[in-house]
Coordinates of all heavy atoms in Angstrom, one line a residue:
R1 N 49.0 34.3 22.0 CA 47.7 34.9 21.5 C 47.6 36.3 21.9 O 47.4 37.2 21.0 CB 46.6 34.0 22.0 CG 45.3 34.4 21.6 CD 44.2 33.5 22.3 NE 42.9 34.1 22.1 CZ 42.0 33.6 21.3 NH1 42.3 32.5 20.6 NH2 40.9 34.1 21.1
E2 N 47.8 36.6 23.1 CA 47.6 38.0 23.6 C 48.7 38.9 23.1 O 48.5 40.1 22.9 CB 47.5 38.0 25.1 CG 46.1 37.7 25.7 CD 45.8 36.2 25.5 OE1 46.7 35.3 25.4 OE2 44.6 35.8 25.5
C3 N 49.9 38.3 22.9 CA 51.0 39.1 22.4 C 50.7 39.5 21.0 O 51.0 40.7 20.6 CB 52.3 38.3 22.5 SG 52.8 37.9 24.2
A4 N 50.2 38.6 20.2 CA 49.9 38.9 18.8 C 48.8 39.9 18.7 O 48.8 40.8 17.9 CB 49.5 37.6 18.1
L5 N 47.8 39.8 19.6 CA 46.7 40.8 19.6 C 47.2 42.2 20.1 O 46.7 43.2 19.6 CB 45.6 40.3 20.5 CG 44.8 39.2 20.0 CD1 43.8 38.6 21.1 CD2 44.0 39.6 18.8
A6 N 48.2 42.2 21.0 CA 48.8 43.5 21.4 C 49.5 44.2 20.2 O 49.3 45.4 20.0 CB 49.8 43.3 22.5
G7 N 50.2 43.5 19.4 CA 50.9 44.0 18.3 C 49.9 44.4 17.2 O 50.0 45.5 16.6
A8 N 48.8 43.6 17.0 CA 47.8 43.9 16.0 C 47.0 45.2 16.4 O 46.6 45.9 15.5 CB 46.8 42.7 15.9
E9 N 46.8 45.4 17.7 CA 46.1 46.6 18.1 C 46.8 47.9 17.7 O 46.1 48.9 17.3 CB 45.9 46.6 19.6 CG 45.2 47.8 20.1 CD 43.8 48.1 19.5 OE1 43.2 47.1 19.0 OE2 43.4 49.3 19.5
V10 N 48.1 47.9 17.7 CA 48.9 49.1 17.2 C 48.5 49.4 15.8 O 48.3 50.5 15.4 CB 50.4 48.8 17.4 CG1 51.2 49.9 16.8 CG2 50.7 48.7 18.9
I11 N 48.5 48.4 15.0 CA 48.2 48.5 13.5 C 46.8 48.9 13.3 O 46.4 49.8 12.5 CB 48.7 47.3 12.7 CG1 50.2 47.2 12.8 CG2 48.2 47.4 11.3 CD1 50.7 45.9 12.3
R12 N 45.9 48.2 14.0 CA 44.4 48.5 13.9 C 44.1 49.9 14.3 O 43.4 50.6 13.5 CB 43.6 47.6 14.8 CG 42.1 47.6 14.6 CD 41.3 47.4 15.8 NE 41.5 48.3 16.9 CZ 41.0 49.6 16.9 NH1 40.3 50.0 15.9 NH2 41.3 50.4 17.9
A13 N 44.7 50.4 15.3 CA 44.5 51.8 15.7 C 45.0 52.8 14.7 O 44.4 53.8 14.4 CB 45.2 52.1 17.1
E14 N 46.1 52.5 14.0 CA 46.7 53.4 13.0 C 45.8 53.3 11.7 O 45.5 54.4 11.1 CB 48.1 53.0 12.6 CG 48.7 53.9 11.6 CD 49.0 55.3 12.1 OE1 48.9 55.6 13.3 OE2 49.4 56.1 11.3
I15 N 45.3 52.2 11.4 CA 44.4 52.1 10.2 C 43.1 52.9 10.5 O 42.6 53.6 9.6 CB 44.0 50.6 9.9 CG1 45.3 49.9 9.4 CG2 42.9 50.5 8.9 CD1 45.1 48.4 9.2
E16 N 42.6 52.8 11.7 CA 41.4 53.6 12.1 C 41.7 55.1 11.9 O 40.8 55.8 11.5 CB 41.0 53.3 13.5 CG 39.8 53.9 14.0 CD 39.5 53.6 15.5 OE1 39.0 52.4 15.7 OE2 39.7 54.4 16.3
T17 N 42.9 55.5 12.3 CA 43.3 56.9 12.2 C 43.4 57.4 10.7 O 43.0 58.5 10.4 CB 44.6 57.1 12.9 OG1 44.5 56.8 14.3 CG2 45.0 58.6 12.8
T18 N 43.9 56.5 9.9 CA 44.2 56.9 8.5 C 43.0 56.6 7.5 O 43.0 57.0 6.4 CB 45.4 56.2 7.9 OG1 45.2 54.8 8.0 CG2 46.6 56.6 8.7
A19 N 42.0 55.9 8.0 CA 40.8 55.5 7.1 C 40.1 56.7 6.7 O 39.9 57.7 7.5 CB 39.9 54.6 7.9
P20 N 39.6 56.7 5.5 CA 38.8 57.9 5.0 C 37.5 58.0 5.9 O 37.0 57.1 6.4 CB 38.3 57.4 3.6 CG 39.3 56.4 3.2 CD 39.8 55.7 4.4
R21 N 37.1 59.3 6.1 CA 36.0 59.6 7.0 C 34.9 60.3 6.3 O 34.3 61.2 6.9 CB 36.5 60.4 8.1 CG 37.6 59.7 8.9 CD 37.9 60.4 10.2 NE 38.9 59.7 11.0 CZ 38.7 58.7 11.7 NH1 37.5 58.2 11.9 NH2 39.7 58.1 12.4
K22 N 34.5 59.9 5.1 CA 33.4 60.5 4.4 C 32.1 60.4 5.3 O 31.4 61.4 5.5 CB 33.2 59.8 3.1 CG 32.3 60.6 2.1 CD 32.4 60.0 0.7 CE 31.9 61.0 -0.3 NZ 32.0 60.5 -1.6
T23 N 31.8 59.2 5.8 CA 30.7 59.0 6.7 C 31.1 58.6 8.1 O 30.4 58.7 9.0 CB 29.7 57.9 6.2 OG1 30.4 56.7 6.2 CG2 29.2 58.3 4.8
G24 N 32.4 58.1 8.2 CA 32.9 57.6 9.5 C 32.7 56.1 9.7 O 33.2 55.5 10.6
T25 N 31.8 55.5 8.9 CA 31.5 54.1 9.1 C 32.8 53.2 8.9 O 33.0 52.3 9.7 CB 30.4 53.6 8.1 OG1 29.3 54.4 8.3 CG2 30.1 52.2 8.2
L26 N 33.5 53.5 7.9 CA 34.7 52.7 7.6 C 35.7 52.8 8.8 O 36.2 51.8 9.3 CB 35.4 53.1 6.3 CG 36.6 52.3 5.9 CD1 36.4 50.8 5.8 CD2 37.1 52.8 4.6
A27 N 36.0 54.0 9.2 CA 37.0 54.2 10.3 C 36.5 53.6 11.6 O 37.3 53.0 12.4 CB 37.2 55.7 10.5
E28 N 35.2 53.6 11.8 CA 34.7 53.0 13.1 C 34.6 51.5 13.0 O 34.3 50.9 14.1 CB 33.3 53.6 13.3 CG 33.3 55.1 13.6 CD 31.9 55.7 13.7 OE1 30.9 55.0 13.5 OE2 31.9 56.9 13.8
D29 N 34.8 50.9 11.9 CA 34.6 49.4 11.8 C 35.9 48.7 11.5 O 35.9 47.6 10.9 CB 33.6 49.1 10.7 CG 33.1 47.7 10.8 OD1 32.9 47.2 11.9 OD2 32.9 47.1 9.7
I30 N 37.1 49.2 11.9 CA 38.3 48.5 11.7 C 38.5 47.5 12.8 O 38.5 47.9 14.0 CB 39.5 49.5 11.6 CG1 39.3 50.5 10.5 CG2 40.8 48.7 11.4 CD1 39.2 49.9 9.1
Q31 N 38.7 46.3 12.5 CA 38.7 45.2 13.5 C 39.9 44.4 13.4 O 40.6 44.3 12.4 CB 37.4 44.3 13.4 CG 36.2 45.1 13.5 CD 34.9 44.2 13.2 OE1 35.1 43.0 13.0 NE2 33.8 44.8 13.3
K32 N 40.2 43.7 14.5 CA 41.3 42.6 14.5 C 40.6 41.3 14.9 O 39.8 41.3 15.8 CB 42.5 43.0 15.4 CG 42.1 43.1 16.8 CD 43.4 43.6 17.6 CE 43.2 43.5 19.1 NZ 42.4 44.5 19.7
E33 N 41.1 40.3 14.3 CA 40.5 39.0 14.6 C 41.5 37.9 14.4 O 42.2 37.9 13.4 CB 39.3 38.7 13.7 CG 38.6 37.4 13.9 CD 37.4 37.2 12.9 OE1 37.2 38.1 12.0 OE2 36.8 36.2 12.9
I34 N 41.5 36.9 15.3 CA 42.4 35.8 15.2 C 41.7 34.8 14.2 O 40.6 34.4 14.4 CB 42.6 35.0 16.5 CG1 43.4 35.9 17.4 CG2 43.3 33.7 16.3 CD1 43.7 35.4 18.8
K35 N 42.4 34.6 13.0 CA 41.9 33.8 12.0 C 42.3 32.3 12.1 O 41.6 31.4 11.7 CB 42.2 34.3 10.6 CG 41.5 35.6 10.2 CD 40.0 35.2 10.0 CE 39.3 36.4 9.4 NZ 37.9 36.1 9.1
K36 N 43.6 32.1 12.6 CA 44.1 30.8 12.7 C 45.1 30.7 13.8 O 45.9 31.7 14.0 CB 44.8 30.4 11.4 CG 45.3 29.0 11.3 CD 46.0 28.7 9.9 CE 46.5 27.3 9.9 NZ 47.1 27.1 8.6
Q37 N 45.0 29.6 14.6 CA 46.0 29.5 15.7 C 46.4 28.0 15.8 O 45.6 27.1 15.7 CB 45.3 29.9 17.0 CG 46.1 29.8 18.2 CD 45.5 30.4 19.4 OE1 44.4 31.0 19.4 NE2 46.1 30.1 20.6
T38 N 47.7 27.9 15.9 CA 48.3 26.5 16.1 C 49.1 26.7 17.4 O 49.2 27.7 18.0 CB 49.2 26.1 14.9 OG1 50.3 27.0 14.8 CG2 48.4 26.1 13.6
K39 N 49.9 25.6 17.7 CA 50.7 25.7 18.9 C 51.8 26.7 18.8 O 52.2 27.3 19.8 CB 51.4 24.3 19.1 CG 50.4 23.3 19.6 CD 51.1 22.0 19.9 CE 50.1 20.9 20.4 NZ 50.8 19.6 20.7
S40 N 52.3 27.0 17.6 CA 53.4 27.9 17.5 C 53.1 29.1 16.6 O 54.0 29.9 16.3 CB 54.6 27.1 16.8 OG 54.2 26.7 15.5
R41 N 51.9 29.3 16.2 CA 51.6 30.4 15.3 C 50.2 30.9 15.5 O 49.2 30.2 15.8 CB 51.7 30.0 13.8 CG 51.5 31.0 12.8 CD 51.6 30.5 11.4 NE 51.2 31.5 10.5 CZ 52.0 31.8 9.4 NH1 53.1 31.2 9.2 NH2 51.6 32.7 8.6
V42 N 50.0 32.3 15.4 CA 48.7 32.9 15.5 C 48.6 33.9 14.3 O 49.5 34.7 14.2 CB 48.6 33.7 16.8 CG1 47.3 34.5 16.9 CG2 48.7 32.8 18.0
D43 N 47.6 33.7 13.5 CA 47.4 34.7 12.4 C 46.3 35.6 12.8 O 45.1 35.2 13.1 CB 47.0 33.9 11.1 CG 48.1 33.1 10.5 OD1 49.3 33.4 10.8 OD2 47.8 32.2 9.8
V44 N 46.6 36.9 12.8 CA 45.6 37.9 13.2 C 45.3 38.7 11.9 O 46.2 39.3 11.3 CB 46.1 38.8 14.3 CG1 45.0 39.9 14.6 CG2 46.5 38.0 15.5
H45 N 44.0 38.8 11.5 CA 43.6 39.7 10.4 C 43.1 41.0 10.9 O 42.4 41.0 11.9 CB 42.6 39.0 9.6 CG 43.1 37.8 8.8 ND1 42.5 37.3 7.7 CD2 44.1 37.0 9.0 CE1 43.2 36.3 7.2 NE2 44.2 36.0 8.0
I46 N 43.5 42.1 10.2 CA 43.1 43.4 10.6 C 42.5 44.1 9.4 O 43.1 44.0 8.3 CB 44.3 44.2 11.1 CG1 45.1 43.5 12.2 CG2 43.9 45.6 11.5 CD1 46.5 44.1 12.4
G47 N 41.3 44.7 9.6 CA 40.7 45.4 8.4 C 39.2 45.6 8.7 O 38.8 45.4 9.8
P48 N 38.5 46.1 7.7 CA 37.1 46.5 7.9 C 36.3 45.3 8.2 O 36.5 44.1 7.8 CB 36.7 47.0 6.5 CG 38.0 47.3 5.8 CD 39.0 46.4 6.4
G49 N 35.3 45.5 9.1 CA 34.3 44.5 9.4 C 33.1 44.5 8.5 O 33.2 45.0 7.3
K50 N 32.0 44.0 8.9 CA 30.8 44.0 8.1 C 30.2 45.3 7.7 O 29.8 45.5 6.5 CB 29.7 43.2 8.8 CG 30.0 41.7 8.9 CD 28.9 40.9 9.6 CE 29.2 39.5 9.7 NZ 28.2 38.7 10.4
E51 N 30.3 46.3 8.5 CA 29.8 47.6 8.2 C 30.7 48.3 7.2 O 30.2 49.1 6.4 CB 29.6 48.5 9.5 CG 28.6 47.9 10.4 CD 27.2 48.0 9.8 OE1 26.8 49.0 9.2 OE2 26.4 47.0 10.0
G52 N 32.0 48.1 7.3 CA 32.9 48.8 6.4 C 33.4 47.9 5.3 O 34.6 48.0 4.8
W53 N 32.6 47.0 4.9 CA 33.0 46.0 3.9 C 33.6 46.6 2.6 O 34.4 45.9 2.0 CB 31.7 45.1 3.5 CG 30.6 46.0 2.9 CD1 29.6 46.6 3.5 CD2 30.5 46.4 1.5 NE1 28.8 47.3 2.7 CE2 29.4 47.2 1.4 CE3 31.2 46.1 0.3 CZ2 28.9 47.8 0.2 CZ3 30.8 46.6 -0.9 CH2 29.6 47.5 -0.9
Y54 N 33.3 47.8 2.3 CA 33.8 48.4 1.1 C 35.2 48.9 1.2 O 35.7 49.5 0.2 CB 32.8 49.6 0.7 CG 32.6 50.6 1.8 CD1 33.5 51.7 1.9 CD2 31.7 50.4 2.8 CE1 33.4 52.6 2.9 CE2 31.5 51.3 3.8 CZ 32.4 52.4 3.9 OH 32.2 53.3 4.9
G55 N 35.8 48.8 2.3 CA 37.2 49.3 2.6 C 38.2 48.8 1.6 O 39.1 49.5 1.2
R56 N 38.0 47.5 1.2 CA 39.0 47.0 0.2 C 38.9 47.7 -1.2 O 39.8 47.9 -1.9 CB 38.7 45.5 0.1 CG 39.7 44.7 -0.8 CD 41.1 44.9 -0.4 NE 41.6 44.2 0.8 CZ 42.8 44.3 1.3 NH1 43.7 45.1 0.8 NH2 43.1 43.6 2.4
F57 N 37.7 48.1 -1.5 CA 37.5 48.8 -2.8 C 38.1 50.2 -2.7 O 38.7 50.7 -3.7 CB 36.0 49.0 -3.1 CG 35.3 47.7 -3.4 CD1 34.3 47.2 -2.6 CD2 35.6 46.9 -4.5 CE1 33.7 46.0 -2.8 CE2 35.0 45.8 -4.8 CZ 34.0 45.3 -4.0
V58 N 38.1 50.8 -1.5 CA 38.7 52.1 -1.3 C 40.2 51.9 -1.4 O 40.9 52.6 -2.1 CB 38.3 52.7 0.0 CG1 39.1 54.0 0.3 CG2 36.8 53.0 0.1
E59 N 40.7 50.9 -0.7 CA 42.2 50.6 -0.7 C 42.8 50.3 -2.1 O 43.8 50.9 -2.4 CB 42.4 49.4 0.2 CG 43.9 49.0 0.3 CD 44.7 49.8 1.3 OE1 44.2 50.7 2.0 OE2 45.9 49.5 1.4
D60 N 42.1 49.5 -2.8 CA 42.6 49.0 -4.1 C 42.1 49.6 -5.3 O 42.6 49.4 -6.4 CB 42.4 47.5 -4.2 CG 43.1 46.7 -3.1 OD1 44.1 47.1 -2.6 OD2 42.6 45.6 -2.8
G61 N 41.0 50.4 -5.2 CA 40.4 51.0 -6.4 C 39.4 50.0 -7.0 O 39.5 48.8 -6.6
H62 N 38.6 50.4 -7.9 CA 37.7 49.4 -8.6 C 37.1 50.0 -9.8 O 37.3 51.2 -10.1 CB 36.5 49.1 -7.6 CG 35.7 50.3 -7.2 ND1 34.6 50.7 -7.9 CD2 35.9 51.1 -6.1 CE1 34.1 51.8 -7.2 NE2 34.9 52.1 -6.2
A63 N 36.5 49.2 -10.6 CA 35.9 49.6 -11.9 C 34.5 50.1 -11.6 O 33.8 49.7 -10.6 CB 35.8 48.4 -12.8
I64 N 34.0 51.0 -12.4 CA 32.6 51.5 -12.3 C 31.9 50.7 -13.5 O 32.2 50.8 -14.6 CB 32.5 53.0 -12.5 CG1 33.3 53.7 -11.5 CG2 31.0 53.4 -12.5 CD1 33.4 55.2 -11.7
V65 N 30.9 50.0 -13.1 CA 30.1 49.2 -14.0 C 28.6 49.6 -14.0 O 28.0 49.7 -13.0 CB 30.2 47.7 -13.7 CG1 29.4 46.8 -14.7 CG2 31.7 47.2 -13.7
V66 N 28.1 49.9 -15.2 CA 26.7 50.3 -15.3 C 26.1 49.4 -16.4 O 26.6 49.3 -17.5 CB 26.6 51.8 -15.8 CG1 25.1 52.2 -16.0 CG2 27.2 52.7 -14.7
A67 N 25.0 48.7 -16.0 CA 24.3 47.8 -16.9 C 25.3 46.8 -17.5 O 25.2 46.5 -18.7 CB 23.6 48.6 -18.0
G68 N 26.2 46.3 -16.7 CA 27.1 45.2 -17.2 C 28.2 45.7 -18.0 O 29.0 44.9 -18.5
K69 N 28.4 47.0 -18.2 CA 29.5 47.6 -19.0 C 30.4 48.5 -18.1 O 29.9 49.3 -17.4 CB 28.9 48.3 -20.2 CG 29.9 48.8 -21.1 CD 29.3 49.5 -22.3 CE 30.4 49.9 -23.3 NZ 29.9 50.4 -24.5
K70 N 31.7 48.3 -18.3 CA 32.6 49.1 -17.6 C 32.6 50.5 -18.2 O 32.8 50.7 -19.4 CB 34.0 48.5 -17.6 CG 35.1 49.3 -16.9 CD 36.4 48.6 -17.0 CE 37.5 49.5 -16.3 NZ 38.8 49.0 -16.4
V71 N 32.4 51.5 -17.3 CA 32.3 52.9 -17.8 C 33.4 53.8 -17.2 O 33.6 54.9 -17.6 CB 30.9 53.5 -17.5 CG1 29.9 52.8 -18.3 CG2 30.6 53.6 -16.1
G72 N 34.2 53.2 -16.3 CA 35.3 54.0 -15.7 C 36.0 53.2 -14.6 O 35.7 52.1 -14.3
D73 N 36.9 53.9 -14.0 CA 37.6 53.4 -12.8 C 37.7 54.4 -11.7 O 37.7 55.6 -11.9 CB 39.1 53.1 -13.2 CG 39.2 51.9 -14.2 OD1 38.7 50.8 -13.8 OD2 39.7 52.1 -15.3
V74 N 37.7 53.9 -10.5 CA 37.9 54.7 -9.3 C 39.3 54.3 -8.8 O 39.6 53.2 -8.6 CB 36.9 54.3 -8.2 CG1 37.2 55.1 -6.9 CG2 35.5 54.7 -8.6
P75 N 40.2 55.3 -8.7 CA 41.6 55.1 -8.4 C 41.7 54.6 -6.9 O 40.8 54.9 -6.1 CB 42.3 56.4 -8.5 CG 41.2 57.4 -8.4 CD 40.0 56.8 -8.9
P76 N 42.8 53.9 -6.6 CA 43.0 53.4 -5.3 C 43.3 54.6 -4.3 O 43.9 55.6 -4.7 CB 44.2 52.4 -5.4 CG 44.8 52.8 -6.6 CD 43.8 53.4 -7.5
H77 N 42.9 54.4 -3.1 CA 43.2 55.4 -2.0 C 43.7 54.5 -0.8 O 42.9 54.3 0.1 CB 42.0 56.2 -1.6 CG 41.5 57.1 -2.7 ND1 42.1 58.2 -3.1 CD2 40.5 57.0 -3.6 CE1 41.5 58.8 -4.1 NE2 40.5 58.0 -4.4
P78 N 45.0 54.1 -0.9 CA 45.5 53.2 0.2 C 45.5 53.9 1.5 O 45.8 55.1 1.7 CB 46.9 53.0 -0.3 CG 47.0 53.3 -1.7 CD 45.9 54.4 -1.9
F79 N 45.0 53.2 2.5 CA 45.0 53.7 3.9 C 45.4 52.5 4.8 O 46.0 52.8 5.9 CB 43.7 54.2 4.3 CG 42.6 53.2 4.4 CD1 42.2 52.6 5.6 CD2 41.9 52.9 3.2 CE1 41.2 51.7 5.6 CE2 40.8 52.0 3.3 CZ 40.5 51.4 4.5
M80 N 45.2 51.3 4.5 CA 45.6 50.2 5.3 C 47.1 49.8 5.2 O 47.8 49.7 6.2 CB 44.8 48.9 5.0 CG 43.3 49.1 5.4 SD 42.3 47.6 5.3 CE 42.0 47.6 3.5
R81 N 47.6 49.7 4.0 CA 49.0 49.4 3.8 C 49.9 50.4 4.3 O 50.9 50.1 5.0 CB 49.3 49.1 2.3 CG 50.7 48.6 2.0 CD 50.8 47.3 2.7 NE 52.2 46.9 2.8 CZ 52.6 45.7 3.0 NH1 51.8 44.7 3.1 NH2 53.9 45.4 3.1
P82 N 49.7 51.7 4.1 CA 50.6 52.7 4.6 C 50.6 52.7 6.2 O 51.6 52.9 6.8 CB 50.0 54.0 4.1 CG 49.3 53.7 2.9 CD 48.7 52.3 3.1
A83 N 49.4 52.4 6.8 CA 49.4 52.3 8.2 C 50.2 51.1 8.7 O 50.9 51.2 9.7 CB 47.9 52.2 8.7
F84 N 50.1 50.0 8.0 CA 50.8 48.8 8.4 C 52.3 49.1 8.3 O 53.1 48.8 9.2 CB 50.5 47.6 7.4 CG 51.3 46.4 7.7 CD1 51.0 45.5 8.7 CD2 52.4 46.1 6.8 CE1 51.8 44.4 8.9 CE2 53.2 45.0 7.0 CZ 52.8 44.1 8.1
D85 N 52.7 49.7 7.2 CA 54.1 50.0 7.0 C 54.7 51.0 8.0 O 55.8 50.8 8.5 CB 54.4 50.6 5.6 CG 54.2 49.6 4.5 OD1 54.2 48.3 4.8 OD2 54.0 50.0 3.3
A86 N 53.9 51.9 8.4 CA 54.3 52.9 9.4 C 54.4 52.4 10.8 O 55.2 52.9 11.6 CB 53.3 54.1 9.4
K87 N 53.6 51.4 11.1 CA 53.5 50.9 12.5 C 54.1 49.5 12.8 O 53.9 49.0 13.9 CB 52.1 51.0 13.0 CG 51.6 52.4 13.1 CD 52.3 53.2 14.2 CE 51.7 54.6 14.4 NZ 52.3 55.2 15.5
T88 N 54.7 48.9 11.8 CA 55.2 47.5 11.9 C 56.2 47.4 13.1 O 56.1 46.5 13.9 CB 55.8 47.0 10.6 OG1 54.8 47.0 9.6 CG2 56.4 45.6 10.8
D89 N 57.2 48.3 13.1 CA 58.2 48.2 14.2 C 57.5 48.4 15.6 O 57.9 47.8 16.6 CB 59.3 49.3 14.0 CG 60.2 49.0 12.8 OD1 60.2 47.8 12.4 OD2 60.8 49.9 12.3
E90 N 56.6 49.4 15.7 CA 55.9 49.6 16.9 C 55.1 48.4 17.3 O 54.9 48.1 18.5 CB 55.0 50.9 16.8 CG 54.5 51.3 18.1 CD 53.7 52.6 18.0 OE1 54.1 53.5 17.1 OE2 52.7 52.8 18.7
A91 N 54.5 47.7 16.4 CA 53.7 46.5 16.6 C 54.6 45.4 17.2 O 54.2 44.7 18.1 CB 53.0 46.0 15.4
Y92 N 55.8 45.3 16.6 CA 56.8 44.3 17.1 C 57.1 44.6 18.6 O 57.2 43.8 19.4 CB 58.0 44.2 16.3 CG 57.9 43.5 15.0 CD1 58.2 44.0 13.8 CD2 57.4 42.1 15.0 CE1 58.1 43.3 12.6 CE2 57.3 41.4 13.8 CZ 57.6 42.0 12.6 OH 57.5 41.3 11.4
D93 N 57.3 45.9 18.8 CA 57.7 46.3 20.2 C 56.5 46.0 21.2 O 56.8 45.6 22.3 CB 58.0 47.8 20.2 CG 59.3 48.2 19.5 OD1 60.1 47.3 19.2 OD2 59.5 49.4 19.1
A94 N 55.3 46.3 20.8 CA 54.1 46.0 21.6 C 54.0 44.5 21.9 O 53.8 44.0 23.0 CB 52.9 46.5 21.0
F95 N 54.3 43.7 20.8 CA 54.3 42.2 21.0 C 55.4 41.8 22.0 O 55.1 41.0 23.0 CB 54.7 41.5 19.7 CG 54.8 40.0 19.7 CD1 53.7 39.2 19.4 CD2 55.9 39.4 20.1 CE1 53.8 37.9 19.4 CE2 56.0 38.0 20.1 CZ 54.9 37.3 19.8
A96 N 56.6 42.3 21.9 CA 57.7 42.0 22.8 C 57.4 42.5 24.2 O 57.7 41.7 25.2 CB 59.0 42.6 22.3
A97 N 56.8 43.6 24.4 CA 56.5 44.2 25.7 C 55.5 43.3 26.4 O 55.6 43.0 27.6 CB 56.0 45.6 25.6
E98 N 54.5 42.8 25.7 CA 53.5 42.0 26.2 C 54.1 40.6 26.6 O 53.7 40.0 27.7 CB 52.3 41.8 25.3 CG 51.2 40.9 25.8 CD 50.4 41.5 27.0 OE1 50.6 42.6 27.4 OE2 49.7 40.7 27.7
L99 N 55.0 40.1 25.8 CA 55.6 38.8 26.1 C 56.5 39.0 27.3 O 56.4 38.1 28.2 CB 56.5 38.4 24.9 CG 57.2 37.1 25.0 CD1 56.2 35.9 25.2 CD2 58.1 36.8 23.8
K100 N 57.2 40.0 27.4 CA 58.1 40.2 28.6 C 57.2 40.4 29.9 O 57.5 39.8 30.9 CB 58.9 41.5 28.5 CG 60.1 41.3 27.5 CD 60.9 42.5 27.3 CE 62.0 42.3 26.3 NZ 62.7 43.6 26.0
R101 N 56.1 41.1 29.8 CA 55.2 41.3 30.9 C 54.6 39.9 31.4 O 54.6 39.6 32.5 CB 54.0 42.2 30.5 CG 53.1 42.5 31.7 CD 51.9 43.3 31.2 NE 50.9 42.5 30.6 CZ 50.1 41.7 31.2 NH1 50.1 41.5 32.5 NH2 49.2 41.0 30.4
R102 N 54.3 39.1 30.4 CA 53.7 37.8 30.7 C 54.7 36.8 31.3 O 54.4 35.9 32.1 CB 53.0 37.2 29.5 CG 51.8 37.9 29.2 CD 51.1 37.4 27.9 NE 49.7 37.9 27.9 CZ 48.7 37.4 28.5 NH1 48.8 36.3 29.2 NH2 47.5 38.0 28.5
L103 N 56.0 37.0 30.9 CA 57.1 36.2 31.4 C 57.6 36.7 32.7 O 58.5 36.0 33.3 CB 58.2 36.0 30.4 CG 57.8 35.3 29.1 CD1 59.0 35.4 28.1 CD2 57.5 33.8 29.4
G104 N 57.2 37.9 33.1 CA 57.7 38.5 34.4 C 59.1 39.0 34.3 O 59.8 39.1 35.2
L105 N 59.5 39.5 33.1 CA 60.8 40.0 32.9 C 60.8 41.5 33.0 O 60.0 42.2 32.8 CB 61.3 39.6 31.5 CG 61.4 38.1 31.3 CD1 61.9 37.8 29.8 CD2 62.4 37.5 32.2

């Protein structure tokens, strides 16, 4: 559990760094949370919390709808996926380092 969170923190910190800062709300609300845990697996979700709920719209783009009619599109501005791609190896290293620390190696 703690090893997975150590690796997730690397990615969470990078997403916070790369998030758009128009108001700062989105960048300040990047969270990591354990969503599922079994004996052999821990799923950690990383992304915007309640205050930055609109982060997925920024990441993926969205339609502009006025009075029920689509009038345009807002293009995607990816910030989460590039951060994940850039820091995956470092996250694995953080996971391994925490595991070694806990095993006393």
